[in-house]
């Protein structure tokens, strides 16, 4: 185990020393768009599925180091949430939140266009609320990816368009009725597809 920690430490030093000579690019982004959520539940061998078309908001941060004029590497963090009517039913409300963290790479075909691809670990949760103060919610873990195009990438303010996908699973749901909560062992699989546009503050 000590050898493993020592190896990881040495690799971190080598990576950081190499990136220290590279040009750093970072940003803060605010975006909005459309999200489609689908969830499948397996409750006592009975398959059930729900879907929702939501309005989405998100915040993200990319930290990239330029290896060359065309290529950069680093990491990203994204926090997104969405809300809307469940399956088109105005009486049922859906709320979803997801955090995506992981490595990212950037490609710069021109000075003013940057294409950024990221993938990594996801922590996500969702809730469906219905009539009579009842709701069902769950939290899961999984993975996801994000692809975006940043225009005017060399400027301080840049427009951004992108697409992301989150996938997370859970083995427990919580049913709340009139402020009383009950936990049940139910397997859920959730997928969230987002198309968004926003603005990036580059530094």
């Amino acid at each position: 185990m000590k050898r493993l920690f020592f190896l990881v430490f040495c690799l971190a030093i080598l990576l950081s020393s190499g990136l220290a000579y590279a040009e750093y690019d970072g940003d803060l982004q605010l975006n909005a768009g459309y999200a489609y959520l689908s969830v499948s539940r397996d409750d006592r061998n009975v398959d059930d599925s729900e879907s929702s078309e939501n309005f989405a908001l998100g915040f993200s941060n990319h930290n990239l180091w330029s290896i060359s004029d065309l290529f950069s590497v680093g990491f990203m963090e994204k926090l997104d949430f969405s809300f809307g009517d469940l399956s088109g039913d105005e009486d049922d409300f859906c709320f979803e939140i997801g955090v995506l963290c992981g490595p990212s790479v950037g490609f710069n075909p021109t000075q003013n266009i940057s294409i950024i691809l990221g993938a990594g670990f996801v922590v996500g949760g969702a809730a469906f609320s219905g009539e009579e103060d009842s709701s069902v919610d769950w939290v899961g873990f999984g993975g996801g990816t994000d692809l975006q195009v940043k225009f005017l990438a060399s400027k301080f303010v840049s427009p951004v368009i992108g697409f992301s996908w989150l996938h997370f699973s859970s083995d427990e749901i919580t049913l709340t009725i009139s402020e009383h909560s009950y936990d049940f062992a139910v397997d859920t699989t959730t997928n969230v597809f987002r198309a968004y546009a926003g603005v990036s503050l580059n530094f």
Side-chain angles (χ1 to χ4, degrees), residues 55-177:
F55 174 73
L57 290 172
F59 306 91
S60 64
N61 175 38
H62 295 80
N63 299 276
L64 298 175
W65 287 265
S66 299
I67 304 303
S68 68
D69 292 338
L70 296 176
F71 184 70
S72 56
V73 297
F75 62 95
M76 60 169 290
E77 312 92 23
K78 286 179 63 69
L79 169 64
D80 296 289
F81 60 93
S82 67
F83 49 89
D85 297 330
L86 178 62
S87 301
D89 189 341
E90 296 181 357
D91 295 328
D92 292 332
F93 183 76
C94 171
F95 177 80
E96 168 269 328
I97 186 169
V99 177
L100 169 63
C101 299
S104 62
V105 295
F107 304 93
N108 307 295
T110 70
Q111 184 180 3
N112 287 319
I113 295 179
S114 180
I115 302 172
I116 303 174
L117 173 64
F121 178 73
V122 167
V123 179
F128 295 158
S129 63
E131 301 175 350
E132 300 178 355
D133 296 327
S134 65
S135 64
V136 176
D137 62 86
W138 62 95
V139 176
F141 302 93
T145 185
D146 179 80
L147 174 65
Q148 67 172 229
V149 180
K150 182 189 295 185
F151 302 93
L152 303 175
S154 61
K155 306 298 182 179
F156 177 66
V157 179
S158 302
V160 174
I161 59 173
F163 178 83
S164 64
W165 167 62
L166 303 183
H167 172 88
F168 55 92
S169 301
S170 174
D171 59 3
E172 183 179 86
I173 66 171
T174 299
L175 172 64
T176 302
I177 303 177

Side-chain angles (χ1 to χ4, degrees), residues 11-42:
L11 289 175
I13 293 296
L14 289 173
L15 179 62
S16 61
S17 62
L19 294 178
Y21 295 98
E23 182 181 351
Y24 171 77
D25 293 308
D27 66 21
L28 293 174
Q29 296 184 13
L30 171 65
N31 59 70
Y34 166 84
Y36 177 79
L37 179 144
S38 67
V39 55
S40 61
R41 294 189 289 260
D42 183 4

